[in-house]
Amino acid sequence: MAAGIVDLDAIASTARSELDAASDEAELEAWRVTHLGRKGTLTSVLRQLGGLEIEERRRVGSEANVLKGELEAAFEAKRDDLKGQKLAATMLEGQIDVTLPARKKRVGRLHPITQTTREIVDIFVSMGFSVAEGPEVETDYYNFEALLLDRDHPARDMQDTLYIDYERDGQYPFMMRTHTSPNQVRFMEEHKPPIRVVVPGKCYRNEATDPTHEWMITQIEVLAVDEGISLADLKGTLFEFAKRMFGQDRRVRFRCDYFPYVEPGVDMAIDCFICGGDGCRTCHQEGWIEIMGAGMVHPEILSNMGYDAERVTGFAAGMGAERIALLRHGIEDIRRFYQNDLRFLEQF
Ligand code: PHE
């Protein structure tokens, strides 16, 4: 280069060696400001061009512009290079050994009563029933009164009730529902016949527990209301259910029973799987285990619902999932279901 005021070669070589030395983004940015910035070395060269002879100005100007383009390209390349190095370092740091054996995941399962409840519901769904739900905290009205169990009805004693500690006018209007039957009324209030519905859910009673009694149980309420429904429909439906649930070999017993909200009322029992009907501790020496109450919906309830009880009839049933699970799986004590012993629960 001629003895000009600017030494482009010197600028170029300093800039190149400094760029090589930059080892991170901050250094790279400082380099950019020094050499390519508004007050950088190259820019000041271009600013000084005005003081040169025309020939010299042209030559230095174009050389400086070429150099500027080269340095910008070198800068970009260096920036990409640093980025790549950083990514490689991060990957190396977070490296995982894919050949290590995986950590074992403990997969849970449905509680046996949930399984049984779903099986029961599925059988009824396959027969054309739909599924509904209702609240576990009930009012005296739905749990008892609407089912013709007045305040002093002796049949209330069959279901020793857990009341909610809330008093109003000397009464305790809220309770844990003792059965799923309140949902007969709840459903009929909202629907017109024809009705085919099952309502599964937890129920609570102040029981002295024993091999077939728990204070929390799961019931499945069954309700069919339509013109022309008879006791034959009740029997046919419930026998079909028992056959599908327990197979052909199990014996089914059907007897008269009393529930104020049905007329006539019946109960259904299955022969005891432990003693085969001879009588044992699990079946209370009876040879049979009751799994449900049922009957024809009381006409008074039908007319209370605004139905024409001369034309519309219905049957209802309420069964206990825990008792059914006992019989299905040959479990000798209902209390095992809610003791949370994994050795027991993991068998299902
Ligand atoms: N609710 C009764 C019980 O819990 C069973 C039942 C349901 C009886 C429907 C008749 C009709 O024992």
Side-chain angles (χ1 to χ4, degrees):
M1 190 178 180
I5 19 168
V6 285
D7 187 349
L8 276 179
D9 290 341
I11 293 178
S13 83
T14 319
R16 289 216 167 88
S17 68
E18 280 181 23
L19 185 62
D20 273 350
S23 62
D24 61 25
E25 275 171 64
E27 283 175 28
L28 190 65
E29 176 60 12
W31 179 90
R32 190 189 65 75
V33 172
T34 309
H35 297 288
L36 299 174
R38 272 195 312 123
K39 292 180 182 151
T41 46
L42 261 181
T43 321
S44 39
V45 169
L46 293 168
R47 280 222 186 92
Q48 290 166 33
L49 289 180
L52 296 179
E53 291 297 321
I54 178 96
E55 282 289 298
E56 183 76 348
R57 187 194 306 172
R58 210 174 269 156
R59 190 182 59 76
V60 177
S62 94
E63 279 180 11
N65 272 324
V66 170
L67 179 60
K68 189 168 180 235
E70 281 174 12
L71 289 182
E72 275 167 359
F75 168 78
E76 307 253 307
K78 179 77 183 187
R79 194 178 53 190
D80 291 348
D81 188 34
L82 284 180
K83 257 192 207 152
Q85 282 177 25
K86 196 172 163 191
L87 183 65
T90 321
M91 278 166 65
L92 212 61
E93 221 170 81
Q95 183 174 245
I96 42 169
D97 181 352
V98 291
T99 64
L100 280 175
R103 240 171 257 161
K104 209 173 170 188
K105 274 224 176 88
R106 282 175 67 93
V107 178
R109 68 192 72 209
L110 294 175
H111 189 277
I113 295 306
T114 307
Q115 293 179 30
T116 306
T117 304
R118 290 190 183 181
E119 273 178 69
I120 296 168
V121 167
D122 282 352
I123 291 175
F124 283 95
V125 166
S126 81
M127 294 197 269
F129 286 75
S130 53
V131 186
E133 282 187 310
E136 289 183 21
V137 175
E138 259 303 359
T139 60
D140 196 88
Y141 173 74
Y142 284 110
N143 198 80
F144 290 130
E145 270 167 73
L147 295 168
L148 310 181
L149 281 140
D150 295 334
R151 284 204 185 279
D152 42 13
H153 199 294
R156 281 197 183 198
D157 283 355
M158 297 198 303
Q159 304 182 350
D160 196 350
T161 307
L162 296 164
Y163 284 90
I164 301 290
D165 189 9
Y166 171 79
E167 191 192 321
R168 195 199 280 159
D169 305 328
Q171 308 277 3
Y172 290 86
F174 300 116
M175 64 199 62
M176 302 309 291
R177 67 177 171 201
T178 56
H179 51 181
T180 44
S181 298
N183 296 295
Q184 293 181 29
V185 178
R186 287 185 176 277
F187 198 85
M188 284 191 280
E189 279 178 349
E190 304 282 322
H191 299 84
K192 297 241 151 303
I195 289 171
R196 310 271 189 278
V197 70
V198 289
V199 188
K202 294 265 184 284
C203 306
Y204 304 82
R205 293 181 194 183
N206 182 27
E207 292 277 358
T209 65
D210 69 24
T212 51
H213 293 84
E214 251 296 6
W215 61 267
M216 179 180 79
I217 56 161
T218 310
Q219 285 195 341
I220 294 92
E221 195 77 11
V222 183
L223 178 68
V225 183
D226 204 345
E227 285 184 30
I229 289 200
S230 73
L231 195 65
D233 297 302
L234 179 157
K235 273 183 90 168
T237 308
L238 299 183
F239 275 24
E240 177 63 20
F241 161 76
K243 246 197 316 197
R244 291 208 211 164
M245 198 71 201
F246 300 107
Q248 303 286 344
D249 305 338
R250 265 278 146 62
R251 285 187 298 152
V252 179
R253 186 191 72 184
F254 222 58
R255 296 197 302 195
C256 288
D257 200 347
Y258 174 71
F259 304 95
Y261 34 100
V262 287
E263 180 56 39
V266 296
D267 73 54
M268 193 165 136
I270 306 291
D271 62 330
C272 178
F273 60 97
I274 290 202
C275 59
D278 295 341
C280 67
R281 195 173 101 89
T282 299
C283 64
H284 301 272
Q285 311 305 330
E286 291 214 23
W288 298 93
I289 294 179
E290 267 175 42
I291 57 162
M292 69 173 99
M296 300 304 292
V297 180
H298 200 292
E300 198 176 318
I301 298 179
L302 293 174
S303 44
N304 286 346
M305 295 297 114
Y307 302 165
D308 178 357
E310 295 293 327
R311 290 171 41 225
V312 169
T313 50
F315 73 79
M319 63 189 81
E322 284 78 4
R323 295 255 184 109
I324 289 170
L326 288 186
L327 288 156
R328 272 295 294 276
H329 300 295
I331 298 158
E332 79 303 343
D333 197 323
I334 198 172
R335 290 168 291 193
R336 297 213 184 284
F337 288 122
Y338 300 114
Q339 283 164 342
N340 278 340
D341 185 339
L342 285 181
R343 290 169 304 175
F344 172 77
L345 294 174
E346 277 175 353
Q347 294 177 43
F348 300 93

